[in-house]
Short mmCIF file of all heavy atoms in Angstrom, two decimals:
data_model
loop_
_atom_site.label_atom_id
_atom_site.label_comp_id
_atom_site.label_asym_id
_atom_site.label_seq_id
_atom_site.Cartn_x
_atom_site.Cartn_y
_atom_site.Cartn_z
N VAL A 105 97.28 102.98 110.35
CA VAL A 105 98.41 103.35 109.50
C VAL A 105 98.69 104.85 109.69
O VAL A 105 97.78 105.67 109.65
CB VAL A 105 98.10 103.04 108.03
CG1 VAL A 105 99.20 103.51 107.12
CG2 VAL A 105 97.85 101.55 107.86
N ALA A 106 99.94 105.16 109.91
CA ALA A 106 100.34 106.54 110.18
C ALA A 106 99.94 107.48 109.06
O ALA A 106 99.51 108.61 109.30
CB ALA A 106 101.85 106.60 110.41
N TRP A 107 100.06 107.03 107.83
CA TRP A 107 99.75 107.90 106.68
C TRP A 107 98.29 108.34 106.71
O TRP A 107 97.98 109.50 106.51
CB TRP A 107 100.06 107.17 105.37
CG TRP A 107 99.96 108.06 104.19
CD1 TRP A 107 98.94 108.13 103.29
CD2 TRP A 107 100.90 109.05 103.78
NE1 TRP A 107 99.20 109.09 102.34
CE2 TRP A 107 100.41 109.66 102.63
CE3 TRP A 107 102.12 109.48 104.28
CZ2 TRP A 107 101.09 110.68 101.96
CZ3 TRP A 107 102.80 110.48 103.62
CH2 TRP A 107 102.27 111.06 102.47
N ARG A 108 97.40 107.42 106.97
CA ARG A 108 95.96 107.73 106.99
C ARG A 108 95.58 108.64 108.14
O ARG A 108 94.60 109.35 108.08
CB ARG A 108 95.15 106.45 107.04
CG ARG A 108 95.23 105.66 105.76
CD ARG A 108 94.30 104.48 105.77
NE ARG A 108 94.71 103.57 104.72
CZ ARG A 108 94.74 102.27 104.83
NH1 ARG A 108 94.35 101.70 105.93
NH2 ARG A 108 95.13 101.52 103.84
N ARG A 109 96.39 108.60 109.21
CA ARG A 109 96.13 109.48 110.36
C ARG A 109 96.75 110.86 110.16
O ARG A 109 96.68 111.70 111.04
CB ARG A 109 96.69 108.84 111.63
CG ARG A 109 95.96 107.60 112.08
CD ARG A 109 96.40 107.16 113.47
NE ARG A 109 97.84 107.06 113.62
CZ ARG A 109 98.55 105.93 113.56
NH1 ARG A 109 97.94 104.80 113.34
NH2 ARG A 109 99.85 105.94 113.74
N GLY A 110 97.39 111.07 109.02
CA GLY A 110 98.01 112.35 108.74
C GLY A 110 99.41 112.50 109.32
O GLY A 110 99.96 113.59 109.33
N GLU A 111 99.96 111.42 109.79
CA GLU A 111 101.31 111.44 110.34
C GLU A 111 102.31 111.14 109.22
O GLU A 111 102.94 110.09 109.16
CB GLU A 111 101.41 110.42 111.48
CG GLU A 111 100.47 110.74 112.62
CD GLU A 111 100.33 109.62 113.63
OE1 GLU A 111 101.01 108.57 113.50
OE2 GLU A 111 99.53 109.79 114.56
N HIS A 112 102.44 112.11 108.33
CA HIS A 112 103.21 111.90 107.11
C HIS A 112 104.69 111.67 107.35
O HIS A 112 105.29 110.79 106.74
CB HIS A 112 102.98 113.06 106.15
CG HIS A 112 101.57 113.16 105.70
ND1 HIS A 112 100.97 114.35 105.38
CD2 HIS A 112 100.60 112.22 105.55
CE1 HIS A 112 99.72 114.15 105.04
NE2 HIS A 112 99.47 112.86 105.14
N GLU A 113 105.29 112.45 108.23
CA GLU A 113 106.72 112.28 108.48
C GLU A 113 107.01 110.89 109.06
O GLU A 113 107.99 110.25 108.66
CB GLU A 113 107.25 113.38 109.40
CG GLU A 113 107.32 114.74 108.74
CD GLU A 113 108.14 114.74 107.45
OE1 GLU A 113 109.24 114.14 107.42
OE2 GLU A 113 107.68 115.34 106.47
N GLN A 114 106.19 110.45 109.98
CA GLN A 114 106.38 109.12 110.57
C GLN A 114 106.21 108.04 109.50
O GLN A 114 106.99 107.09 109.44
CB GLN A 114 105.39 108.90 111.70
CG GLN A 114 105.54 107.54 112.35
CD GLN A 114 104.51 107.30 113.45
OE1 GLN A 114 103.71 108.16 113.77
NE2 GLN A 114 104.54 106.12 114.03
N ALA A 115 105.22 108.18 108.66
CA ALA A 115 104.98 107.19 107.60
C ALA A 115 106.14 107.17 106.61
O ALA A 115 106.58 106.09 106.19
CB ALA A 115 103.67 107.50 106.88
N LEU A 116 106.64 108.34 106.24
CA LEU A 116 107.77 108.40 105.32
C LEU A 116 109.01 107.75 105.95
O LEU A 116 109.75 107.03 105.27
CB LEU A 116 108.07 109.84 104.92
CG LEU A 116 107.08 110.48 103.96
CD1 LEU A 116 107.32 111.99 103.85
CD2 LEU A 116 107.16 109.82 102.59
N GLU A 117 109.22 107.98 107.22
CA GLU A 117 110.35 107.38 107.92
C GLU A 117 110.24 105.85 107.92
O GLU A 117 111.21 105.14 107.66
CB GLU A 117 110.43 107.90 109.35
CG GLU A 117 111.59 107.35 110.14
CD GLU A 117 111.64 107.89 111.56
OE1 GLU A 117 111.21 109.04 111.80
OE2 GLU A 117 112.11 107.15 112.43
N GLN A 118 109.04 105.36 108.16
CA GLN A 118 108.82 103.91 108.18
C GLN A 118 109.09 103.30 106.81
O GLN A 118 109.73 102.25 106.71
CB GLN A 118 107.40 103.59 108.62
CG GLN A 118 107.14 103.87 110.08
CD GLN A 118 105.67 103.76 110.44
OE1 GLN A 118 104.79 103.66 109.59
NE2 GLN A 118 105.40 103.76 111.74
N ILE A 119 108.62 103.94 105.76
CA ILE A 119 108.80 103.38 104.43
C ILE A 119 110.26 103.47 104.00
O ILE A 119 110.78 102.56 103.35
CB ILE A 119 107.84 104.02 103.40
CG1 ILE A 119 107.65 103.09 102.20
CG2 ILE A 119 108.32 105.35 102.90
CD1 ILE A 119 106.90 101.85 102.51
N ARG A 120 110.94 104.52 104.40
CA ARG A 120 112.37 104.63 104.08
C ARG A 120 113.18 103.57 104.81
O ARG A 120 114.16 103.04 104.28
CB ARG A 120 112.86 106.04 104.36
CG ARG A 120 112.34 107.02 103.31
CD ARG A 120 112.92 108.41 103.46
NE ARG A 120 112.55 109.22 102.30
CZ ARG A 120 111.85 110.35 102.37
NH1 ARG A 120 111.49 110.84 103.54
NH2 ARG A 120 111.56 111.02 101.28
N LYS A 121 112.77 103.22 106.02
CA LYS A 121 113.42 102.13 106.75
C LYS A 121 113.20 100.80 106.04
O LYS A 121 114.10 99.96 105.96
CB LYS A 121 112.91 102.05 108.19
CG LYS A 121 113.47 103.11 109.09
CD LYS A 121 112.93 102.97 110.51
CE LYS A 121 113.46 104.07 111.40
NZ LYS A 121 112.92 103.97 112.77
N ALA A 122 111.99 100.60 105.53
CA ALA A 122 111.69 99.37 104.79
C ALA A 122 112.55 99.29 103.53
O ALA A 122 113.06 98.21 103.20
CB ALA A 122 110.20 99.32 104.43
N ILE A 123 112.73 100.39 102.86
CA ILE A 123 113.58 100.42 101.67
C ILE A 123 115.02 100.12 102.05
O ILE A 123 115.70 99.33 101.38
CB ILE A 123 113.45 101.77 100.93
CG1 ILE A 123 112.06 101.87 100.28
CG2 ILE A 123 114.55 101.93 99.89
CD1 ILE A 123 111.73 103.24 99.74
N ALA A 124 115.49 100.71 103.12
CA ALA A 124 116.87 100.50 103.55
C ALA A 124 117.12 99.04 103.95
O ALA A 124 118.20 98.51 103.72
CB ALA A 124 117.21 101.43 104.71
N SER A 125 116.11 98.40 104.53
CA SER A 125 116.29 97.02 104.98
C SER A 125 116.39 96.05 103.80
O SER A 125 117.06 95.03 103.91
CB SER A 125 115.18 96.60 105.93
OG SER A 125 113.97 96.43 105.24
N ASP A 126 115.72 96.35 102.69
CA ASP A 126 115.83 95.51 101.49
C ASP A 126 115.48 96.36 100.27
O ASP A 126 114.34 96.37 99.82
CB ASP A 126 114.91 94.30 101.58
CG ASP A 126 115.16 93.31 100.45
OD1 ASP A 126 115.93 93.63 99.50
OD2 ASP A 126 114.59 92.21 100.49
N PRO A 127 116.46 97.07 99.73
CA PRO A 127 116.20 97.97 98.60
C PRO A 127 115.79 97.26 97.32
O PRO A 127 115.34 97.91 96.38
CB PRO A 127 117.53 98.71 98.43
CG PRO A 127 118.55 97.93 99.15
CD PRO A 127 117.84 97.12 100.19
N ARG A 128 115.90 95.93 97.29
CA ARG A 128 115.52 95.19 96.08
C ARG A 128 114.02 95.01 95.95
O ARG A 128 113.53 94.76 94.85
CB ARG A 128 116.21 93.83 96.06
CG ARG A 128 117.74 93.95 95.97
CD ARG A 128 118.40 92.63 96.24
NE ARG A 128 118.08 92.27 97.62
CZ ARG A 128 118.19 91.05 98.14
NH1 ARG A 128 118.61 90.07 97.40
NH2 ARG A 128 117.89 90.82 99.40
N LYS A 129 113.29 95.11 97.05
CA LYS A 129 111.84 94.92 97.00
C LYS A 129 111.18 96.12 96.32
O LYS A 129 111.42 97.26 96.69
CB LYS A 129 111.27 94.77 98.40
CG LYS A 129 111.58 93.46 99.05
CD LYS A 129 110.86 93.35 100.38
CE LYS A 129 111.09 92.00 101.02
NZ LYS A 129 110.41 91.91 102.31
N PRO A 130 110.31 95.89 95.37
CA PRO A 130 109.67 97.00 94.67
C PRO A 130 108.53 97.66 95.45
O PRO A 130 108.27 98.85 95.29
CB PRO A 130 109.14 96.37 93.38
CG PRO A 130 108.89 94.94 93.75
CD PRO A 130 109.97 94.60 94.76
N GLN A 131 107.85 96.92 96.31
CA GLN A 131 106.67 97.44 96.98
C GLN A 131 106.93 98.69 97.82
O GLN A 131 106.16 99.65 97.72
CB GLN A 131 106.00 96.35 97.83
CG GLN A 131 105.42 95.21 97.02
CD GLN A 131 106.43 94.14 96.65
OE1 GLN A 131 107.62 94.22 96.97
NE2 GLN A 131 105.96 93.10 95.96
N PRO A 132 107.98 98.72 98.63
CA PRO A 132 108.20 99.95 99.40
C PRO A 132 108.50 101.17 98.52
O PRO A 132 108.08 102.28 98.84
CB PRO A 132 109.41 99.61 100.28
CG PRO A 132 109.45 98.13 100.35
CD PRO A 132 108.90 97.65 99.05
N HIS A 133 109.18 100.95 97.41
CA HIS A 133 109.44 102.06 96.49
C HIS A 133 108.13 102.60 95.91
O HIS A 133 107.94 103.80 95.79
CB HIS A 133 110.38 101.62 95.36
CG HIS A 133 111.75 101.27 95.82
ND1 HIS A 133 112.71 102.21 96.10
CD2 HIS A 133 112.32 100.06 96.06
CE1 HIS A 133 113.82 101.60 96.48
NE2 HIS A 133 113.61 100.30 96.47
N ASN A 134 107.23 101.67 95.58
CA ASN A 134 105.94 102.08 95.06
C ASN A 134 105.13 102.82 96.12
O ASN A 134 104.50 103.84 95.83
CB ASN A 134 105.16 100.86 94.56
CG ASN A 134 103.89 101.24 93.86
OD1 ASN A 134 103.90 101.98 92.88
ND2 ASN A 134 102.77 100.75 94.36
N SER A 135 105.18 102.33 97.35
CA SER A 135 104.48 103.02 98.45
C SER A 135 105.03 104.41 98.67
O SER A 135 104.28 105.36 98.88
CB SER A 135 104.59 102.20 99.73
OG SER A 135 103.93 100.97 99.59
N LEU A 136 106.36 104.54 98.61
CA LEU A 136 106.97 105.85 98.73
C LEU A 136 106.49 106.77 97.62
O LEU A 136 106.18 107.94 97.86
CB LEU A 136 108.50 105.72 98.71
CG LEU A 136 109.27 107.04 98.78
CD1 LEU A 136 108.97 107.79 100.07
CD2 LEU A 136 110.77 106.77 98.63
N ALA A 137 106.39 106.24 96.42
CA ALA A 137 105.91 107.05 95.29
C ALA A 137 104.51 107.58 95.55
O ALA A 137 104.22 108.76 95.29
CB ALA A 137 105.94 106.23 94.00
N VAL A 138 103.64 106.74 96.07
CA VAL A 138 102.26 107.16 96.36
C VAL A 138 102.26 108.27 97.41
O VAL A 138 101.56 109.28 97.27
CB VAL A 138 101.41 105.96 96.81
CG1 VAL A 138 100.06 106.41 97.33
CG2 VAL A 138 101.25 104.96 95.67
N MET A 139 103.06 108.10 98.44
CA MET A 139 103.12 109.11 99.50
C MET A 139 103.65 110.44 98.97
O MET A 139 103.07 111.50 99.25
CB MET A 139 104.03 108.62 100.63
CG MET A 139 103.50 107.46 101.39
SD MET A 139 104.72 106.93 102.62
CE MET A 139 103.90 105.51 103.30
N LEU A 140 104.73 110.38 98.21
CA LEU A 140 105.31 111.62 97.68
C LEU A 140 104.36 112.31 96.70
O LEU A 140 104.24 113.54 96.69
CB LEU A 140 106.66 111.33 97.01
CG LEU A 140 107.76 110.87 97.96
CD1 LEU A 140 109.01 110.46 97.18
CD2 LEU A 140 108.09 111.94 98.99
N ARG A 141 103.67 111.51 95.90
CA ARG A 141 102.67 112.08 94.97
C ARG A 141 101.58 112.80 95.76
O ARG A 141 101.17 113.91 95.41
CB ARG A 141 102.08 110.97 94.12
CG ARG A 141 101.02 111.43 93.16
CD ARG A 141 100.53 110.24 92.32
NE ARG A 141 99.26 110.55 91.75
CZ ARG A 141 98.12 109.96 92.10
NH1 ARG A 141 98.11 109.02 93.01
NH2 ARG A 141 96.99 110.30 91.53
N ASP A 142 101.10 112.19 96.81
CA ASP A 142 100.07 112.80 97.65
C ASP A 142 100.54 114.13 98.24
O ASP A 142 99.74 115.03 98.48
CB ASP A 142 99.64 111.87 98.78
CG ASP A 142 98.78 110.72 98.31
OD1 ASP A 142 98.37 110.70 97.12
OD2 ASP A 142 98.51 109.82 99.13
N LEU A 143 101.85 114.22 98.49
CA LEU A 143 102.42 115.45 99.06
C LEU A 143 102.79 116.47 97.98
O LEU A 143 103.26 117.56 98.29
CB LEU A 143 103.66 115.11 99.89
CG LEU A 143 103.40 114.32 101.16
CD1 LEU A 143 104.71 113.89 101.80
CD2 LEU A 143 102.55 115.11 102.15
N GLY A 144 102.58 116.11 96.72
CA GLY A 144 102.87 117.03 95.62
C GLY A 144 104.30 116.99 95.12
O GLY A 144 104.70 117.82 94.31
N ASP A 145 105.08 116.03 95.59
CA ASP A 145 106.46 115.88 95.13
C ASP A 145 106.47 114.91 93.95
O ASP A 145 106.80 113.73 94.09
CB ASP A 145 107.35 115.38 96.27
CG ASP A 145 108.80 115.17 95.85
OD1 ASP A 145 109.15 115.42 94.67
OD2 ASP A 145 109.60 114.75 96.71
N PHE A 146 106.11 115.43 92.79
CA PHE A 146 105.98 114.56 91.61
C PHE A 146 107.32 114.05 91.11
O PHE A 146 107.42 112.91 90.64
CB PHE A 146 105.22 115.29 90.51
CG PHE A 146 103.77 115.49 90.85
CD1 PHE A 146 103.33 116.71 91.34
CD2 PHE A 146 102.85 114.47 90.73
CE1 PHE A 146 102.00 116.91 91.69
CE2 PHE A 146 101.52 114.64 91.07
CZ PHE A 146 101.09 115.86 91.55
N ALA A 147 108.38 114.84 91.23
CA ALA A 147 109.70 114.38 90.80
C ALA A 147 110.17 113.23 91.69
O ALA A 147 110.67 112.21 91.19
CB ALA A 147 110.70 115.53 90.83
N GLY A 148 110.01 113.38 92.99
CA GLY A 148 110.38 112.31 93.90
C GLY A 148 109.53 111.08 93.71
O GLY A 148 110.02 109.95 93.75
N ALA A 149 108.24 111.29 93.47
CA ALA A 149 107.32 110.18 93.24
C ALA A 149 107.71 109.42 91.97
O ALA A 149 107.72 108.18 91.96
CB ALA A 149 105.89 110.69 93.14
N GLU A 150 108.02 110.16 90.92
CA GLU A 150 108.40 109.50 89.67
C GLU A 150 109.68 108.69 89.86
O GLU A 150 109.79 107.55 89.39
CB GLU A 150 108.58 110.52 88.55
CG GLU A 150 108.92 109.85 87.23
CD GLU A 150 109.04 110.80 86.07
OE1 GLU A 150 108.60 111.98 86.17
OE2 GLU A 150 109.60 110.37 85.04
N ALA A 151 110.65 109.25 90.55
CA ALA A 151 111.90 108.52 90.78
C ALA A 151 111.65 107.24 91.57
O ALA A 151 112.19 106.18 91.23
CB ALA A 151 112.90 109.42 91.51
N ALA A 152 110.82 107.33 92.59
CA ALA A 152 110.54 106.15 93.42
C ALA A 152 109.79 105.08 92.64
O ALA A 152 110.11 103.89 92.72
CB ALA A 152 109.74 106.57 94.66
N VAL A 153 108.80 105.49 91.86
CA VAL A 153 108.01 104.49 91.13
C VAL A 153 108.83 103.89 90.00
O VAL A 153 108.70 102.71 89.68
CB VAL A 153 106.66 105.06 90.65
CG1 VAL A 153 106.81 105.93 89.41
CG2 VAL A 153 105.68 103.94 90.39
N ARG A 154 109.72 104.67 89.40
CA ARG A 154 110.59 104.10 88.37
C ARG A 154 111.54 103.06 88.98
O ARG A 154 111.84 102.05 88.35
CB ARG A 154 111.35 105.19 87.64
CG ARG A 154 110.48 105.95 86.66
CD ARG A 154 111.29 106.88 85.78
NE ARG A 154 110.44 107.66 84.90
CZ ARG A 154 109.94 107.23 83.74
NH1 ARG A 154 110.22 106.01 83.31
NH2 ARG A 154 109.19 108.03 83.00
N THR A 155 111.96 103.28 90.21
CA THR A 155 112.77 102.28 90.90
C THR A 155 111.97 101.01 91.10
O THR A 155 112.47 99.90 90.89
CB THR A 155 113.29 102.82 92.24
OG1 THR A 155 114.09 103.97 91.99
CG2 THR A 155 114.11 101.78 92.99
N ALA A 156 110.71 101.16 91.51
CA ALA A 156 109.84 99.98 91.68
C ALA A 156 109.70 99.21 90.38
O ALA A 156 109.80 97.98 90.36
CB ALA A 156 108.48 100.41 92.21
N VAL A 157 109.49 99.93 89.28
CA VAL A 157 109.34 99.28 87.98
C VAL A 157 110.65 98.62 87.55
O VAL A 157 110.64 97.53 86.96
CB VAL A 157 108.82 100.28 86.92
CG1 VAL A 157 108.86 99.69 85.52
CG2 VAL A 157 107.39 100.72 87.27
N ASP A 158 111.77 99.27 87.84
CA ASP A 158 113.06 98.65 87.53
C ASP A 158 113.22 97.33 88.28
O ASP A 158 113.78 96.37 87.74
CB ASP A 158 114.22 99.57 87.91
CG ASP A 158 114.38 100.74 86.96
OD1 ASP A 158 113.80 100.71 85.85
OD2 ASP A 158 115.09 101.70 87.33
N ARG A 159 112.76 97.29 89.52
CA ARG A 159 112.89 96.08 90.34
C ARG A 159 111.95 94.97 89.85
O ARG A 159 112.27 93.80 89.97
CB ARG A 159 112.59 96.36 91.81
CG ARG A 159 113.44 97.42 92.48
CD ARG A 159 114.88 96.97 92.66
NE ARG A 159 115.65 97.88 93.48
CZ ARG A 159 116.31 98.94 93.02
NH1 ARG A 159 116.24 99.25 91.75
NH2 ARG A 159 117.02 99.70 93.81
N MET A 160 110.76 95.37 89.35
CA MET A 160 109.77 94.39 88.90
C MET A 160 109.03 95.00 87.71
O MET A 160 108.01 95.69 87.89
CB MET A 160 108.79 94.04 90.02
CG MET A 160 107.80 92.95 89.62
SD MET A 160 106.51 92.65 90.88
CE MET A 160 107.45 91.97 92.21
N PRO A 161 109.51 94.77 86.50
CA PRO A 161 108.93 95.41 85.31
C PRO A 161 107.45 95.10 85.06
O PRO A 161 106.77 95.87 84.38
CB PRO A 161 109.80 94.90 84.17
CG PRO A 161 111.10 94.55 84.81
CD PRO A 161 110.73 94.05 86.18
N ASP A 162 106.95 94.00 85.60
CA ASP A 162 105.55 93.65 85.37
C ASP A 162 104.68 93.89 86.61
O ASP A 162 103.66 93.24 86.81
CB ASP A 162 105.43 92.20 84.92
CG ASP A 162 105.97 91.21 85.94
OD1 ASP A 162 106.68 91.64 86.89
OD2 ASP A 162 105.71 90.00 85.79
N TYR A 163 105.06 94.85 87.44
CA TYR A 163 104.35 95.20 88.68
C TYR A 163 103.20 96.15 88.32
O TYR A 163 103.41 97.32 88.09
CB TYR A 163 105.35 95.83 89.63
CG TYR A 163 104.87 96.20 91.01
CD1 TYR A 163 103.69 95.72 91.56
CD2 TYR A 163 105.64 97.05 91.79
CE1 TYR A 163 103.30 96.07 92.82
CE2 TYR A 163 105.26 97.40 93.06
CZ TYR A 163 104.08 96.90 93.57
OH TYR A 163 103.69 97.26 94.83
N PRO A 164 101.97 95.63 88.26
CA PRO A 164 100.86 96.42 87.74
C PRO A 164 100.58 97.71 88.52
O PRO A 164 100.31 98.75 87.91
CB PRO A 164 99.65 95.49 87.78
CG PRO A 164 100.08 94.25 88.44
CD PRO A 164 101.56 94.29 88.65
N GLU A 165 100.64 97.66 89.84
CA GLU A 165 100.36 98.86 90.63
C GLU A 165 101.38 99.95 90.36
O GLU A 165 101.04 101.13 90.24
CB GLU A 165 100.32 98.54 92.13
CG GLU A 165 99.12 97.72 92.54
CD GLU A 165 99.36 96.21 92.41
OE1 GLU A 165 100.42 95.78 91.89
OE2 GLU A 165 98.46 95.45 92.81
N ALA A 166 102.65 99.57 90.24
CA ALA A 166 103.69 100.56 89.96
C ALA A 166 103.53 101.14 88.57
O ALA A 166 103.70 102.35 88.37
CB ALA A 166 105.07 99.94 90.14
N LEU A 167 103.20 100.29 87.61
CA LEU A 167 102.99 100.79 86.25
C LEU A 167 101.81 101.75 86.19
O LEU A 167 101.87 102.79 85.52
CB LEU A 167 102.79 99.61 85.28
CG LEU A 167 104.01 98.73 85.07
CD1 LEU A 167 103.63 97.46 84.34
CD2 LEU A 167 105.10 99.49 84.33
N THR A 168 100.75 101.44 86.92
CA THR A 168 99.60 102.34 86.99
C THR A 168 99.99 103.65 87.65
O THR A 168 99.63 104.73 87.16
CB THR A 168 98.45 101.67 87.77
OG1 THR A 168 98.05 100.49 87.07
CG2 THR A 168 97.26 102.61 87.92
N ASN A 169 100.73 103.57 88.75
CA ASN A 169 101.16 104.80 89.43
C ASN A 169 102.07 105.63 88.54
O ASN A 169 101.95 106.87 88.51
CB ASN A 169 101.85 104.47 90.75
CG ASN A 169 100.86 104.02 91.79
OD1 ASN A 169 99.70 104.42 91.79
ND2 ASN A 169 101.31 103.16 92.70
N LEU A 170 102.96 104.99 87.80
CA LEU A 170 103.82 105.73 86.87
C LEU A 170 102.98 106.45 85.83
O LEU A 170 103.19 107.63 85.56
CB LEU A 170 104.83 104.80 86.22
CG LEU A 170 105.74 105.44 85.17
CD1 LEU A 170 106.55 106.59 85.76
CD2 LEU A 170 106.66 104.39 84.56
N GLY A 171 102.02 105.76 85.27
CA GLY A 171 101.13 106.38 84.28
C GLY A 171 100.37 107.55 84.86
O GLY A 171 100.25 108.61 84.22
N ASN A 172 99.88 107.41 86.08
CA ASN A 172 99.15 108.51 86.72
C ASN A 172 100.05 109.71 86.97
O ASN A 172 99.64 110.85 86.74
CB ASN A 172 98.53 108.04 88.04
CG ASN A 172 97.37 107.11 87.83
OD1 ASN A 172 96.73 107.10 86.78
ND2 ASN A 172 97.09 106.29 88.83
N ILE A 173 101.26 109.46 87.42
CA ILE A 173 102.19 110.55 87.67
C ILE A 173 102.53 111.27 86.37
O ILE A 173 102.55 112.52 86.32
CB ILE A 173 103.46 110.03 88.38
CG1 ILE A 173 103.13 109.60 89.82
CG2 ILE A 173 104.58 111.08 88.37
CD1 ILE A 173 104.20 108.75 90.47
N LEU A 174 102.79 110.51 85.33
CA LEU A 174 103.11 111.12 84.03
C LEU A 174 101.92 111.93 83.51
O LEU A 174 102.08 113.04 83.00
CB LEU A 174 103.53 110.07 83.03
CG LEU A 174 104.86 109.36 83.33
CD1 LEU A 174 105.10 108.23 82.36
CD2 LEU A 174 106.01 110.35 83.34
N ARG A 175 100.71 111.40 83.66
CA ARG A 175 99.51 112.12 83.22
C ARG A 175 99.34 113.40 84.01
O ARG A 175 99.08 114.48 83.44
CB ARG A 175 98.27 111.24 83.38
CG ARG A 175 97.00 111.92 82.84
CD ARG A 175 95.73 111.18 83.20
NE ARG A 175 95.48 111.40 84.61
CZ ARG A 175 95.29 110.43 85.50
NH1 ARG A 175 95.31 109.18 85.13
NH2 ARG A 175 95.06 110.72 86.77
N GLU A 176 99.53 113.32 85.32
CA GLU A 176 99.33 114.48 86.19
C GLU A 176 100.38 115.58 85.97
O GLU A 176 100.15 116.73 86.30
CB GLU A 176 99.31 114.06 87.66
CG GLU A 176 98.07 113.26 87.99
CD GLU A 176 98.10 112.63 89.36
OE1 GLU A 176 99.02 112.93 90.14
OE2 GLU A 176 97.21 111.82 89.65
N THR A 177 101.52 115.18 85.41
CA THR A 177 102.56 116.18 85.12
C THR A 177 102.57 116.57 83.65
O THR A 177 103.51 117.20 83.18
CB THR A 177 103.96 115.66 85.55
OG1 THR A 177 104.23 114.42 84.88
CG2 THR A 177 104.03 115.47 87.05
N GLY A 178 101.54 116.17 82.93
CA GLY A 178 101.39 116.58 81.54
C GLY A 178 102.26 115.82 80.57
O GLY A 178 102.52 116.29 79.46
N ARG A 179 102.72 114.65 80.99
CA ARG A 179 103.56 113.86 80.09
C ARG A 179 102.86 112.57 79.81
O ARG A 179 103.12 111.63 79.46
CB ARG A 179 104.95 113.64 80.70
CG ARG A 179 105.63 114.98 80.90
CD ARG A 179 106.99 114.87 81.53
NE ARG A 179 106.86 114.36 82.87
CZ ARG A 179 107.72 113.54 83.46
NH1 ARG A 179 108.78 113.14 82.84
NH2 ARG A 179 107.54 113.14 84.68
#
């Protein structure tokens, strides 16, 4: 996986392509949130994970990631 090899730009490009191919799927939005959070872009991560939750309100991984992002930003 490009992300684990430190190829962040390539990984972000791949996930954005996945989102573009089917923006209704929540999983790519959640994956984008994790990547952006790892890069310190908490605003972008929150926006992406909220999109995932909007797509699937009972998506446990996205809800956990949203909680972590909110905790890490003091909210």
Side-chain angles (χ1 to χ4, degrees):
V105 176
W107 188 257
R108 291 187 197 139
R109 291 190 309 260
E111 298 168 3
H112 297 149
E113 289 305 316
Q114 180 182 357
L116 287 169
E117 181 180 329
Q118 290 171 349
I119 202 68
R120 287 186 171 121
K121 284 181 182 178
I123 290 170
S125 72
D126 189 352
R128 296 168 296 162
K129 287 185 177 179
Q131 294 84 358
H133 294 281
N134 187 59
S135 295
L136 178 61
V138 171
M139 292 176 183
L140 293 174
R141 178 178 161 249
D142 286 352
L143 293 173
D145 179 0
F146 291 99
E150 183 177 344
V153 78
R154 285 190 183 278
T155 299
V157 171
D158 286 345
R159 302 290 189 273
M160 184 186 293
D162 61 346
Y163 183 16
E165 290 87 354
L167 293 169
T168 298
N169 287 331
L170 177 59
N172 289 337
I173 291 165
L174 293 174
R175 184 190 73 234
E176 290 171 8
T177 57
R179 298 179 295 144

